[in-house]
Amino acid sequence: MGKLVGGGVLLVIAFSLLLAAATVRAQRPGPISNLLRFAGYGVAVLAVLFATGSAMVVIDPGEVGVRHAFGFVDPGPLLAGIRLVPPWSVIERYSTREEQWPPRGEQTEAIEALSSEQMGMHVEVSIRWQIDPSQAPRIFTEIGDENQIRGAVLNAIRKGVRDGIVQYSINDISKRTQIANTMEALVDSALVTQPRVGGPRFRIATVTAFFLRDLQPPAQVVQAINNKIAQEQQVETERHRVEVARLQAEQQKLLNTTLTPEALTRQYFDVLRELKSSNNLVILVPTAGGIPVLNIGDLRRNLRP
């Protein structure tokens, strides 16, 4: 609109210069009239360029435009490229690239939610999303500019996270993938809205990726879980100690049952039989006072004359 007004002003100036050139030439022909005429032509060319430029709009890659004027919004989006529009139109631009929440460099927002037992949960998520270019006119009419779109997306994230976590209990914390999938579906569903003035529902944005960064139960629950784990480890240690003691008792009982005097005597005779074909000259001789060692080699040397 500003270019159109500027073109009109330049056109008036050009007409004035040409009129002044004609007047000067009629009264006193000379170089001044020619200079005014050329200046008028130059300003007229600029006026035409301004008027033409006001009817041309360049939509950059990764953007979509929405044309509106005098309270009317064009239902057709302006896609990337050079577009001809009425000079009095106003163009709103939206990014169609993938956006991220939270934005880079900003601190992650912690969302407080309730589990199915109404226990407070600490949740941190991040998502990537983008708008559908074909829905840009309806987004402009119902939502507003890009800051208002981000606000709507943030509200959908909070709603989806809280509606998702309430479906799970404290004992389901380990099901992170399942919980994340539930939250993603609910956030994506919350981005579909019903226009205030009626008509079909439309999508504000689409979730392209969802990440469950952190999921923490209340501090007292964490302490109770740690205590339970410690108790289970203590019970397991005690069970192991009892099992070792039982095995040792059974081993001792087995020794007391099998190592009788008769069994030991039988084993001693078996050893003596094996010595008949052995070069071993040492024999153990059991007696009531102990087990002396009988060295046959020394006896043979002592018995030689």
Side-chain angles (χ1 to χ4, degrees):
M1 190 68 176
K3 291 182 179 180
L4 181 62
V5 174
V9 172
L10 290 176
L11 190 61
V12 172
I13 295 174
F15 179 77
S16 301
L17 290 174
L18 292 175
L19 183 61
T23 302
V24 171
R25 185 175 56 183
Q27 295 178 356
R28 186 183 301 174
I32 296 179
S33 62
N34 294 332
L35 181 61
L36 290 174
R37 188 172 71 255
F38 289 140
Y41 289 151
V43 174
V45 170
L46 289 177
V48 172
L49 292 177
F50 264 79
T52 304
S54 64
M56 296 178 60
V57 175
V58 177
I59 305 298
D60 295 329
E63 285 186 344
V64 63
V66 178
R67 182 181 69 84
H68 64 96
F70 309 117
F72 171 78
V73 179
D74 187 355
L78 300 177
L79 303 179
I82 300 176
R83 305 297 172 187
L84 295 176
V85 297
W88 53 82
S89 298
V90 179
I91 307 300
E92 300 291 338
R93 300 172 185 266
Y94 294 94
S95 172
T96 58
R97 292 188 174 93
E98 193 176 63
E99 302 284 341
Q100 178 175 314
W101 184 89
R104 295 180 180 178
E106 293 190 11
Q107 186 176 2
T108 303
E109 178 183 351
I111 301 176
E112 301 301 328
L114 297 176
S115 67
S116 59
E117 305 95 344
Q118 299 300 300
M119 298 290 292
M121 302 287 288
H122 176 90
V123 187
E124 293 182 6
V125 301
S126 63
I127 74 166
R128 293 202 300 266
W129 57 275
Q130 61 185 152
I131 68 170
D132 182 359
S134 64
Q135 298 293 331
R138 301 195 68 186
I139 292 174
F140 171 74
T141 302
E142 298 296 332
I143 305 299
D145 58 19
E146 288 192 334
N147 288 331
Q148 291 171 308
I149 294 175
R150 294 188 182 95
V153 171
L154 178 57
N155 289 334
I157 294 172
R158 291 168 176 167
K159 182 179 186 302
V161 168
R162 293 189 174 106
D163 291 349
I165 200 65
V166 78
Q167 300 181 18
Y168 296 90
S169 67
I170 295 293
N171 297 326
D172 297 329
I173 292 179
S174 60
K175 303 176 182 178
R176 293 178 62 91
T177 301
Q178 182 178 345
I179 295 174
N181 292 337
T182 301
M183 291 180 179
E184 179 180 0
L186 291 173
V187 171
D188 195 66
S189 176
L191 289 171
V192 179
T193 185
Q194 177 69 45
R196 297 185 300 274
V197 296
R201 296 164 63 86
F202 71 98
R203 176 174 291 279
I204 302 172
T206 301
V207 177
T208 57
F210 186 93
F211 306 96
L212 178 58
R213 287 185 170 183
D214 192 20
L215 178 61
Q216 294 291 337
Q220 61 270 24
V221 175
V222 174
Q223 185 62 38
I225 293 174
N226 292 335
N227 292 339
K228 181 180 179 181
I229 294 175
Q231 291 175 359
E232 291 177 350
Q233 291 177 346
Q234 184 177 1
V235 169
E236 187 64 26
T237 301
E238 185 64 22
R239 184 182 294 114
H240 177 72
R241 188 187 66 79
V242 171
E243 183 66 17
V244 170
R246 185 185 65 80
L247 291 176
Q248 291 177 347
E250 290 182 356
Q251 184 179 12
Q252 186 63 40
K253 181 179 179 181
L254 179 63
L255 290 174
N256 294 336
T257 304
T258 58
L259 296 181
T260 60
E262 294 79 5
L264 292 174
T265 301
R266 188 181 306 109
Q267 292 181 8
Y268 175 71
F269 288 145
D270 293 339
V271 171
L272 291 179
R273 292 192 191 94
E274 294 176 358
L275 286 176
K276 293 173 58 178
S277 59
S278 172
N279 296 325
N280 189 3
L281 301 178
V282 177
I283 301 176
L284 300 179
V285 181
T287 63
I291 303 178
V293 177
L294 181 61
N295 193 324
I296 302 300
D298 293 341
L299 291 176
R300 288 178 179 176
R301 286 194 295 270
N302 293 333
L303 293 175
R304 288 177 183 174

